[in-house]
PDB file of all heavy atoms in Angstrom:
ATOM      1  N   LEU A   1      -7.060 -29.910  18.525  1.00  0.00           N
ATOM      2  CA  LEU A   1      -5.897 -30.442  17.818  1.00  0.00           C
ATOM      3  C   LEU A   1      -4.678 -29.629  18.234  1.00  0.00           C
ATOM      4  O   LEU A   1      -4.755 -28.416  18.391  1.00  0.00           O
ATOM      5  CB  LEU A   1      -6.106 -30.353  16.298  1.00  0.00           C
ATOM      6  CG  LEU A   1      -7.320 -31.102  15.768  1.00  0.00           C
ATOM      7  CD1 LEU A   1      -7.534 -30.789  14.301  1.00  0.00           C
ATOM      8  CD2 LEU A   1      -7.170 -32.595  15.988  1.00  0.00           C
ATOM      9  N   ARG A   2      -3.537 -30.278  18.402  1.00  0.00           N
ATOM     10  CA  ARG A   2      -2.322 -29.589  18.825  1.00  0.00           C
ATOM     11  C   ARG A   2      -1.613 -29.016  17.607  1.00  0.00           C
ATOM     12  O   ARG A   2      -0.642 -29.561  17.124  1.00  0.00           O
ATOM     13  CB  ARG A   2      -1.415 -30.534  19.599  1.00  0.00           C
ATOM     14  CG  ARG A   2      -2.034 -31.013  20.886  1.00  0.00           C
ATOM     15  CD  ARG A   2      -1.144 -31.942  21.619  1.00  0.00           C
ATOM     16  NE  ARG A   2      -0.769 -33.059  20.759  1.00  0.00           N
ATOM     17  CZ  ARG A   2       0.221 -33.893  21.036  1.00  0.00           C
ATOM     18  NH1 ARG A   2       0.934 -33.758  22.105  1.00  0.00           N
ATOM     19  NH2 ARG A   2       0.493 -34.878  20.219  1.00  0.00           N
ATOM     20  N   LEU A   3      -2.124 -27.910  17.126  1.00  0.00           N
ATOM     21  CA  LEU A   3      -1.603 -27.313  15.902  1.00  0.00           C
ATOM     22  C   LEU A   3      -0.858 -26.020  16.161  1.00  0.00           C
ATOM     23  O   LEU A   3      -1.067 -25.355  17.153  1.00  0.00           O
ATOM     24  CB  LEU A   3      -2.769 -26.990  14.957  1.00  0.00           C
ATOM     25  CG  LEU A   3      -3.604 -28.141  14.466  1.00  0.00           C
ATOM     26  CD1 LEU A   3      -4.792 -27.611  13.689  1.00  0.00           C
ATOM     27  CD2 LEU A   3      -2.779 -29.062  13.592  1.00  0.00           C
ATOM     28  N   ARG A   4      -0.051 -25.655  15.200  1.00  0.00           N
ATOM     29  CA  ARG A   4       0.469 -24.298  15.156  1.00  0.00           C
ATOM     30  C   ARG A   4      -0.330 -23.584  14.090  1.00  0.00           C
ATOM     31  O   ARG A   4      -0.894 -24.207  13.191  1.00  0.00           O
ATOM     32  CB  ARG A   4       1.966 -24.262  14.868  1.00  0.00           C
ATOM     33  CG  ARG A   4       2.359 -24.595  13.458  1.00  0.00           C
ATOM     34  CD  ARG A   4       3.883 -24.464  13.306  1.00  0.00           C
ATOM     35  NE  ARG A   4       4.287 -24.846  11.993  1.00  0.00           N
ATOM     36  CZ  ARG A   4       4.508 -23.991  11.000  1.00  0.00           C
ATOM     37  NH1 ARG A   4       4.369 -22.704  11.176  1.00  0.00           N
ATOM     38  NH2 ARG A   4       4.880 -24.419   9.825  1.00  0.00           N
ATOM     39  N   GLU A   5      -0.400 -22.280  14.216  1.00  0.00           N
ATOM     40  CA  GLU A   5      -1.142 -21.507  13.231  1.00  0.00           C
ATOM     41  C   GLU A   5      -0.499 -21.702  11.873  1.00  0.00           C
ATOM     42  O   GLU A   5       0.693 -21.496  11.704  1.00  0.00           O
ATOM     43  CB  GLU A   5      -1.100 -20.033  13.650  1.00  0.00           C
ATOM     44  CG  GLU A   5      -2.028 -19.152  12.916  1.00  0.00           C
ATOM     45  CD  GLU A   5      -2.093 -17.762  13.530  1.00  0.00           C
ATOM     46  OE1 GLU A   5      -1.229 -17.412  14.354  1.00  0.00           O
ATOM     47  OE2 GLU A   5      -3.009 -17.036  13.160  1.00  0.00           O
ATOM     48  N   LEU A   6      -1.291 -22.126  10.921  1.00  0.00           N
ATOM     49  CA  LEU A   6      -0.777 -22.379   9.589  1.00  0.00           C
ATOM     50  C   LEU A   6      -0.979 -21.145   8.726  1.00  0.00           C
ATOM     51  O   LEU A   6      -1.621 -20.188   9.136  1.00  0.00           O
ATOM     52  CB  LEU A   6      -1.473 -23.595   8.987  1.00  0.00           C
ATOM     53  CG  LEU A   6      -1.301 -24.891   9.796  1.00  0.00           C
ATOM     54  CD1 LEU A   6      -2.151 -26.000   9.207  1.00  0.00           C
ATOM     55  CD2 LEU A   6       0.151 -25.301   9.862  1.00  0.00           C
ATOM     56  N   GLY A   7      -0.467 -21.157   7.543  1.00  0.00           N
ATOM     57  CA  GLY A   7      -0.577 -20.008   6.656  1.00  0.00           C
ATOM     58  C   GLY A   7      -1.996 -19.717   6.202  1.00  0.00           C
ATOM     59  O   GLY A   7      -2.900 -20.522   6.364  1.00  0.00           O
ATOM     60  N   TYR A   8      -2.162 -18.549   5.611  1.00  0.00           N
ATOM     61  CA  TYR A   8      -3.463 -18.089   5.141  1.00  0.00           C
ATOM     62  C   TYR A   8      -3.518 -17.998   3.614  1.00  0.00           C
ATOM     63  O   TYR A   8      -4.392 -17.344   3.073  1.00  0.00           O
ATOM     64  CB  TYR A   8      -3.775 -16.723   5.759  1.00  0.00           C
ATOM     65  CG  TYR A   8      -4.139 -16.824   7.228  1.00  0.00           C
ATOM     66  CD1 TYR A   8      -3.157 -16.929   8.203  1.00  0.00           C
ATOM     67  CD2 TYR A   8      -5.461 -16.847   7.617  1.00  0.00           C
ATOM     68  CE1 TYR A   8      -3.486 -17.036   9.539  1.00  0.00           C
ATOM     69  CE2 TYR A   8      -5.813 -16.955   8.954  1.00  0.00           C
ATOM     70  CZ  TYR A   8      -4.816 -17.053   9.914  1.00  0.00           C
ATOM     71  OH  TYR A   8      -5.152 -17.168  11.243  1.00  0.00           O
ATOM     72  N   ALA A   9      -2.625 -18.662   2.926  1.00  0.00           N
ATOM     73  CA  ALA A   9      -2.535 -18.563   1.465  1.00  0.00           C
ATOM     74  C   ALA A   9      -3.845 -18.928   0.772  1.00  0.00           C
ATOM     75  O   ALA A   9      -4.178 -18.350  -0.262  1.00  0.00           O
ATOM     76  CB  ALA A   9      -1.400 -19.441   0.937  1.00  0.00           C
ATOM     77  N   ASN A  10      -4.603 -19.854   1.316  1.00  0.00           N
ATOM     78  CA  ASN A  10      -5.843 -20.288   0.690  1.00  0.00           C
ATOM     79  C   ASN A  10      -7.089 -19.660   1.317  1.00  0.00           C
ATOM     80  O   ASN A  10      -8.204 -20.120   1.080  1.00  0.00           O
ATOM     81  CB  ASN A  10      -5.948 -21.815   0.739  1.00  0.00           C
ATOM     82  CG  ASN A  10      -4.837 -22.473  -0.050  1.00  0.00           C
ATOM     83  OD1 ASN A  10      -4.495 -22.015  -1.141  1.00  0.00           O
ATOM     84  ND2 ASN A  10      -4.259 -23.520   0.494  1.00  0.00           N
ATOM     85  N   THR A  11      -6.891 -18.636   2.115  1.00  0.00           N
ATOM     86  CA  THR A  11      -8.002 -17.957   2.782  1.00  0.00           C
ATOM     87  C   THR A  11      -8.378 -16.708   1.986  1.00  0.00           C
ATOM     88  O   THR A  11      -7.496 -15.972   1.530  1.00  0.00           O
ATOM     89  CB  THR A  11      -7.603 -17.564   4.219  1.00  0.00           C
ATOM     90  OG1 THR A  11      -7.174 -18.746   4.906  1.00  0.00           O
ATOM     91  CG2 THR A  11      -8.754 -16.924   4.956  1.00  0.00           C
ATOM     92  N   ALA A  12      -9.665 -16.467   1.846  1.00  0.00           N
ATOM     93  CA  ALA A  12     -10.137 -15.284   1.117  1.00  0.00           C
ATOM     94  C   ALA A  12      -9.659 -14.004   1.803  1.00  0.00           C
ATOM     95  O   ALA A  12      -9.629 -13.930   3.036  1.00  0.00           O
ATOM     96  CB  ALA A  12     -11.659 -15.283   1.055  1.00  0.00           C
ATOM     97  N   ASN A  13      -9.290 -13.036   1.014  1.00  0.00           N
ATOM     98  CA  ASN A  13      -8.828 -11.761   1.565  1.00  0.00           C
ATOM     99  C   ASN A  13      -9.873 -11.137   2.480  1.00  0.00           C
ATOM    100  O   ASN A  13      -9.532 -10.544   3.510  1.00  0.00           O
ATOM    101  CB  ASN A  13      -8.453 -10.791   0.450  1.00  0.00           C
ATOM    102  CG  ASN A  13      -7.161 -11.170  -0.232  1.00  0.00           C
ATOM    103  OD1 ASN A  13      -6.473 -12.090   0.176  1.00  0.00           O
ATOM    104  ND2 ASN A  13      -6.828 -10.457  -1.290  1.00  0.00           N
ATOM    105  N   SER A  14     -11.142 -11.257   2.131  1.00  0.00           N
ATOM    106  CA  SER A  14     -12.201 -10.681   2.967  1.00  0.00           C
ATOM    107  C   SER A  14     -12.209 -11.319   4.354  1.00  0.00           C
ATOM    108  O   SER A  14     -12.403 -10.642   5.363  1.00  0.00           O
ATOM    109  CB  SER A  14     -13.565 -10.832   2.297  1.00  0.00           C
ATOM    110  OG  SER A  14     -13.863 -12.196   2.069  1.00  0.00           O
ATOM    111  N   ARG A  15     -11.972 -12.625   4.429  1.00  0.00           N
ATOM    112  CA  ARG A  15     -11.915 -13.314   5.726  1.00  0.00           C
ATOM    113  C   ARG A  15     -10.685 -12.867   6.511  1.00  0.00           C
ATOM    114  O   ARG A  15     -10.768 -12.622   7.719  1.00  0.00           O
ATOM    115  CB  ARG A  15     -11.905 -14.828   5.514  1.00  0.00           C
ATOM    116  CG  ARG A  15     -11.733 -15.627   6.773  1.00  0.00           C
ATOM    117  CD  ARG A  15     -12.947 -15.516   7.683  1.00  0.00           C
ATOM    118  NE  ARG A  15     -12.702 -16.269   8.912  1.00  0.00           N
ATOM    119  CZ  ARG A  15     -13.072 -15.869  10.107  1.00  0.00           C
ATOM    120  NH1 ARG A  15     -13.736 -14.746  10.273  1.00  0.00           N
ATOM    121  NH2 ARG A  15     -12.805 -16.610  11.161  1.00  0.00           N
ATOM    122  N   ILE A  16      -9.559 -12.756   5.847  1.00  0.00           N
ATOM    123  CA  ILE A  16      -8.331 -12.300   6.507  1.00  0.00           C
ATOM    124  C   ILE A  16      -8.537 -10.895   7.065  1.00  0.00           C
ATOM    125  O   ILE A  16      -8.170 -10.606   8.206  1.00  0.00           O
ATOM    126  CB  ILE A  16      -7.136 -12.348   5.534  1.00  0.00           C
ATOM    127  CG1 ILE A  16      -6.796 -13.800   5.190  1.00  0.00           C
ATOM    128  CG2 ILE A  16      -5.930 -11.630   6.125  1.00  0.00           C
ATOM    129  CD1 ILE A  16      -5.788 -13.951   4.079  1.00  0.00           C
ATOM    130  N   ARG A  17      -9.149 -10.033   6.298  1.00  0.00           N
ATOM    131  CA  ARG A  17      -9.409  -8.664   6.772  1.00  0.00           C
ATOM    132  C   ARG A  17     -10.357  -8.663   7.965  1.00  0.00           C
ATOM    133  O   ARG A  17     -10.202  -7.869   8.897  1.00  0.00           O
ATOM    134  CB  ARG A  17      -9.953  -7.810   5.631  1.00  0.00           C
ATOM    135  CG  ARG A  17      -8.912  -7.519   4.557  1.00  0.00           C
ATOM    136  CD  ARG A  17      -9.437  -6.532   3.519  1.00  0.00           C
ATOM    137  NE  ARG A  17      -8.578  -6.453   2.355  1.00  0.00           N
ATOM    138  CZ  ARG A  17      -7.381  -5.882   2.316  1.00  0.00           C
ATOM    139  NH1 ARG A  17      -6.873  -5.317   3.393  1.00  0.00           N
ATOM    140  NH2 ARG A  17      -6.688  -5.871   1.188  1.00  0.00           N
ATOM    141  N   ALA A  18     -11.349  -9.563   7.962  1.00  0.00           N
ATOM    142  CA  ALA A  18     -12.274  -9.655   9.088  1.00  0.00           C
ATOM    143  C   ALA A  18     -11.566 -10.107  10.360  1.00  0.00           C
ATOM    144  O   ALA A  18     -11.861  -9.621  11.453  1.00  0.00           O
ATOM    145  CB  ALA A  18     -13.422 -10.610   8.749  1.00  0.00           C
ATOM    146  N   VAL A  19     -10.611 -11.002  10.218  1.00  0.00           N
ATOM    147  CA  VAL A  19      -9.889 -11.528  11.377  1.00  0.00           C
ATOM    148  C   VAL A  19      -8.854 -10.531  11.894  1.00  0.00           C
ATOM    149  O   VAL A  19      -8.752 -10.293  13.094  1.00  0.00           O
ATOM    150  CB  VAL A  19      -9.217 -12.884  11.039  1.00  0.00           C
ATOM    151  CG1 VAL A  19      -8.284 -13.334  12.148  1.00  0.00           C
ATOM    152  CG2 VAL A  19     -10.267 -13.937  10.748  1.00  0.00           C
ATOM    153  N   PHE A  20      -8.066  -9.950  10.987  1.00  0.00           N
ATOM    154  CA  PHE A  20      -6.933  -9.125  11.406  1.00  0.00           C
ATOM    155  C   PHE A  20      -7.168  -7.623  11.310  1.00  0.00           C
ATOM    156  O   PHE A  20      -6.321  -6.832  11.730  1.00  0.00           O
ATOM    157  CB  PHE A  20      -5.682  -9.530  10.616  1.00  0.00           C
ATOM    158  CG  PHE A  20      -5.241 -10.935  10.920  1.00  0.00           C
ATOM    159  CD1 PHE A  20      -5.451 -11.948  10.007  1.00  0.00           C
ATOM    160  CD2 PHE A  20      -4.642 -11.247  12.124  1.00  0.00           C
ATOM    161  CE1 PHE A  20      -5.061 -13.252  10.285  1.00  0.00           C
ATOM    162  CE2 PHE A  20      -4.246 -12.539  12.422  1.00  0.00           C
ATOM    163  CZ  PHE A  20      -4.458 -13.548  11.499  1.00  0.00           C
ATOM    164  N   GLY A  21      -8.290  -7.220  10.763  1.00  0.00           N
ATOM    165  CA  GLY A  21      -8.705  -5.818  10.768  1.00  0.00           C
ATOM    166  C   GLY A  21      -7.673  -4.825  10.275  1.00  0.00           C
ATOM    167  O   GLY A  21      -7.053  -5.015   9.230  1.00  0.00           O
ATOM    168  N   SER A  22      -7.482  -3.780  11.053  1.00  0.00           N
ATOM    169  CA  SER A  22      -6.651  -2.648  10.635  1.00  0.00           C
ATOM    170  C   SER A  22      -5.182  -3.004  10.448  1.00  0.00           C
ATOM    171  O   SER A  22      -4.451  -2.259   9.798  1.00  0.00           O
ATOM    172  CB  SER A  22      -6.778  -1.513  11.648  1.00  0.00           C
ATOM    173  OG  SER A  22      -6.274  -1.922  12.904  1.00  0.00           O
ATOM    174  N   ARG A  23      -4.750  -4.130  10.986  1.00  0.00           N
ATOM    175  CA  ARG A  23      -3.342  -4.510  10.821  1.00  0.00           C
ATOM    176  C   ARG A  23      -2.963  -4.700   9.360  1.00  0.00           C
ATOM    177  O   ARG A  23      -1.794  -4.635   9.012  1.00  0.00           O
ATOM    178  CB  ARG A  23      -3.028  -5.788  11.597  1.00  0.00           C
ATOM    179  CG  ARG A  23      -3.001  -5.577  13.101  1.00  0.00           C
ATOM    180  CD  ARG A  23      -2.679  -6.850  13.808  1.00  0.00           C
ATOM    181  NE  ARG A  23      -3.907  -7.426  14.313  1.00  0.00           N
ATOM    182  CZ  ARG A  23      -3.984  -8.590  14.927  1.00  0.00           C
ATOM    183  NH1 ARG A  23      -2.905  -9.330  15.071  1.00  0.00           N
ATOM    184  NH2 ARG A  23      -5.115  -9.030  15.382  1.00  0.00           N
ATOM    185  N   LEU A  24      -3.952  -4.931   8.517  1.00  0.00           N
ATOM    186  CA  LEU A  24      -3.677  -5.165   7.099  1.00  0.00           C
ATOM    187  C   LEU A  24      -4.311  -4.113   6.202  1.00  0.00           C
ATOM    188  O   LEU A  24      -4.341  -4.270   4.983  1.00  0.00           O
ATOM    189  CB  LEU A  24      -4.167  -6.563   6.699  1.00  0.00           C
ATOM    190  CG  LEU A  24      -3.465  -7.713   7.426  1.00  0.00           C
ATOM    191  CD1 LEU A  24      -4.151  -9.031   7.146  1.00  0.00           C
ATOM    192  CD2 LEU A  24      -2.001  -7.775   7.059  1.00  0.00           C
ATOM    193  N   SER A  25      -4.783  -3.019   6.784  1.00  0.00           N
ATOM    194  CA  SER A  25      -5.494  -1.999   6.005  1.00  0.00           C
ATOM    195  C   SER A  25      -4.609  -1.284   4.990  1.00  0.00           C
ATOM    196  O   SER A  25      -5.108  -0.762   3.996  1.00  0.00           O
ATOM    197  CB  SER A  25      -6.144  -0.972   6.938  1.00  0.00           C
ATOM    198  OG  SER A  25      -5.158  -0.306   7.695  1.00  0.00           O
ATOM    199  N   LYS A  26      -3.298  -1.295   5.200  1.00  0.00           N
ATOM    200  CA  LYS A  26      -2.413  -0.611   4.253  1.00  0.00           C
ATOM    201  C   LYS A  26      -2.177  -1.413   2.975  1.00  0.00           C
ATOM    202  O   LYS A  26      -1.576  -0.924   2.029  1.00  0.00           O
ATOM    203  CB  LYS A  26      -1.086  -0.261   4.912  1.00  0.00           C
ATOM    204  CG  LYS A  26      -0.211  -1.444   5.278  1.00  0.00           C
ATOM    205  CD  LYS A  26       1.067  -0.978   5.946  1.00  0.00           C
ATOM    206  CE  LYS A  26       1.971  -2.127   6.331  1.00  0.00           C
ATOM    207  NZ  LYS A  26       3.189  -1.657   6.987  1.00  0.00           N
ATOM    208  N   TYR A  27      -2.657  -2.649   2.934  1.00  0.00           N
ATOM    209  CA  TYR A  27      -2.447  -3.511   1.769  1.00  0.00           C
ATOM    210  C   TYR A  27      -3.707  -3.542   0.906  1.00  0.00           C
ATOM    211  O   TYR A  27      -4.803  -3.795   1.415  1.00  0.00           O
ATOM    212  CB  TYR A  27      -2.116  -4.945   2.197  1.00  0.00           C
ATOM    213  CG  TYR A  27      -0.864  -5.054   3.021  1.00  0.00           C
ATOM    214  CD1 TYR A  27      -0.932  -5.127   4.414  1.00  0.00           C
ATOM    215  CD2 TYR A  27       0.386  -5.086   2.421  1.00  0.00           C
ATOM    216  CE1 TYR A  27       0.220  -5.234   5.183  1.00  0.00           C
ATOM    217  CE2 TYR A  27       1.537  -5.199   3.186  1.00  0.00           C
ATOM    218  CZ  TYR A  27       1.454  -5.256   4.559  1.00  0.00           C
ATOM    219  OH  TYR A  27       2.588  -5.356   5.314  1.00  0.00           O
ATOM    220  N   ASN A  28      -3.549  -3.322  -0.405  1.00  0.00           N
ATOM    221  CA  ASN A  28      -4.683  -3.527  -1.301  1.00  0.00           C
ATOM    222  C   ASN A  28      -4.808  -5.041  -1.534  1.00  0.00           C
ATOM    223  O   ASN A  28      -3.975  -5.823  -1.059  1.00  0.00           O
ATOM    224  CB  ASN A  28      -4.533  -2.728  -2.603  1.00  0.00           C
ATOM    225  CG  ASN A  28      -3.347  -3.166  -3.448  1.00  0.00           C
ATOM    226  OD1 ASN A  28      -3.009  -4.354  -3.517  1.00  0.00           O
ATOM    227  ND2 ASN A  28      -2.698  -2.209  -4.106  1.00  0.00           N
ATOM    228  N   ASP A  29      -5.825  -5.465  -2.259  1.00  0.00           N
ATOM    229  CA  ASP A  29      -6.052  -6.906  -2.437  1.00  0.00           C
ATOM    230  C   ASP A  29      -4.900  -7.615  -3.136  1.00  0.00           C
ATOM    231  O   ASP A  29      -4.540  -8.730  -2.757  1.00  0.00           O
ATOM    232  CB  ASP A  29      -7.363  -7.163  -3.179  1.00  0.00           C
ATOM    233  CG  ASP A  29      -8.552  -7.193  -2.232  1.00  0.00           C
ATOM    234  OD1 ASP A  29      -8.349  -7.388  -1.020  1.00  0.00           O
ATOM    235  OD2 ASP A  29      -9.682  -7.033  -2.712  1.00  0.00           O
ATOM    236  N   ALA A  30      -4.309  -6.995  -4.129  1.00  0.00           N
ATOM    237  CA  ALA A  30      -3.185  -7.627  -4.829  1.00  0.00           C
ATOM    238  C   ALA A  30      -1.997  -7.783  -3.884  1.00  0.00           C
ATOM    239  O   ALA A  30      -1.333  -8.833  -3.878  1.00  0.00           O
ATOM    240  CB  ALA A  30      -2.782  -6.803  -6.053  1.00  0.00           C
ATOM    241  N   GLN A  31      -1.721  -6.762  -3.076  1.00  0.00           N
ATOM    242  CA  GLN A  31      -0.615  -6.834  -2.123  1.00  0.00           C
ATOM    243  C   GLN A  31      -0.883  -7.884  -1.045  1.00  0.00           C
ATOM    244  O   GLN A  31       0.014  -8.626  -0.659  1.00  0.00           O
ATOM    245  CB  GLN A  31      -0.385  -5.459  -1.476  1.00  0.00           C
ATOM    246  CG  GLN A  31       0.150  -4.421  -2.431  1.00  0.00           C
ATOM    247  CD  GLN A  31       0.093  -3.017  -1.824  1.00  0.00           C
ATOM    248  OE1 GLN A  31      -0.838  -2.662  -1.113  1.00  0.00           O
ATOM    249  NE2 GLN A  31       1.124  -2.218  -2.135  1.00  0.00           N
ATOM    250  N   LEU A  32      -2.138  -7.938  -0.560  1.00  0.00           N
ATOM    251  CA  LEU A  32      -2.491  -8.929   0.451  1.00  0.00           C
ATOM    252  C   LEU A  32      -2.375 -10.343  -0.107  1.00  0.00           C
ATOM    253  O   LEU A  32      -1.885 -11.245   0.574  1.00  0.00           O
ATOM    254  CB  LEU A  32      -3.896  -8.674   0.991  1.00  0.00           C
ATOM    255  CG  LEU A  32      -4.378  -9.616   2.087  1.00  0.00           C
ATOM    256  CD1 LEU A  32      -3.396  -9.692   3.250  1.00  0.00           C
ATOM    257  CD2 LEU A  32      -5.757  -9.190   2.566  1.00  0.00           C
ATOM    258  N   THR A  33      -2.776 -10.534  -1.332  1.00  0.00           N
ATOM    259  CA  THR A  33      -2.643 -11.849  -1.971  1.00  0.00           C
ATOM    260  C   THR A  33      -1.179 -12.267  -2.039  1.00  0.00           C
ATOM    261  O   THR A  33      -0.837 -13.423  -1.749  1.00  0.00           O
ATOM    262  CB  THR A  33      -3.282 -11.832  -3.373  1.00  0.00           C
ATOM    263  OG1 THR A  33      -4.682 -11.556  -3.226  1.00  0.00           O
ATOM    264  CG2 THR A  33      -3.092 -13.157  -4.099  1.00  0.00           C
ATOM    265  N   ALA A  34      -0.304 -11.346  -2.385  1.00  0.00           N
ATOM    266  CA  ALA A  34       1.134 -11.646  -2.415  1.00  0.00           C
ATOM    267  C   ALA A  34       1.660 -11.904  -1.009  1.00  0.00           C
ATOM    268  O   ALA A  34       2.434 -12.844  -0.785  1.00  0.00           O
ATOM    269  CB  ALA A  34       1.894 -10.494  -3.075  1.00  0.00           C
ATOM    270  N   LEU A  35       1.236 -11.091  -0.054  1.00  0.00           N
ATOM    271  CA  LEU A  35       1.707 -11.221   1.328  1.00  0.00           C
ATOM    272  C   LEU A  35       1.318 -12.564   1.927  1.00  0.00           C
ATOM    273  O   LEU A  35       2.149 -13.241   2.545  1.00  0.00           O
ATOM    274  CB  LEU A  35       1.137 -10.079   2.184  1.00  0.00           C
ATOM    275  CG  LEU A  35       1.548 -10.058   3.651  1.00  0.00           C
ATOM    276  CD1 LEU A  35       3.043  -9.763   3.778  1.00  0.00           C
ATOM    277  CD2 LEU A  35       0.738  -9.014   4.408  1.00  0.00           C
ATOM    278  N   LYS A  36       0.094 -12.973   1.732  1.00  0.00           N
ATOM    279  CA  LYS A  36      -0.365 -14.220   2.350  1.00  0.00           C
ATOM    280  C   LYS A  36       0.284 -15.463   1.749  1.00  0.00           C
ATOM    281  O   LYS A  36       0.228 -16.538   2.349  1.00  0.00           O
ATOM    282  CB  LYS A  36      -1.892 -14.316   2.314  1.00  0.00           C
ATOM    283  CG  LYS A  36      -2.491 -14.560   0.953  1.00  0.00           C
ATOM    284  CD  LYS A  36      -4.013 -14.548   1.021  1.00  0.00           C
ATOM    285  CE  LYS A  36      -4.628 -14.882  -0.321  1.00  0.00           C
ATOM    286  NZ  LYS A  36      -6.085 -14.844  -0.272  1.00  0.00           N
TER     287      LYS A  36
END
């Protein structure tokens, strides 16, 4: 599909951490939820 990367607002934080790893390690779960 010819898509652009869409947001991660509905993605579980654990999945986001698995995909993006250390790039998001400075955020706790509440901060990551707000960020996404």
Side-chain angles (χ1 to χ4, degrees):
L1 301 172
R2 296 179 305 166
L3 298 173
R4 73 178 177 97
E5 192 171 14
L6 301 174
Y8 286 81
N10 297 319
T11 304
N13 287 354
S14 59
R15 175 68 182 141
I16 292 171
R17 291 187 192 288
V19 171
F20 295 106
S22 64
R23 288 180 260 176
L24 297 171
S25 62
K26 68 181 180 181
Y27 299 98
N28 64 36
D29 274 340
Q31 292 168 323
L32 182 53
T33 298
L35 181 67
K36 71 184 184 181

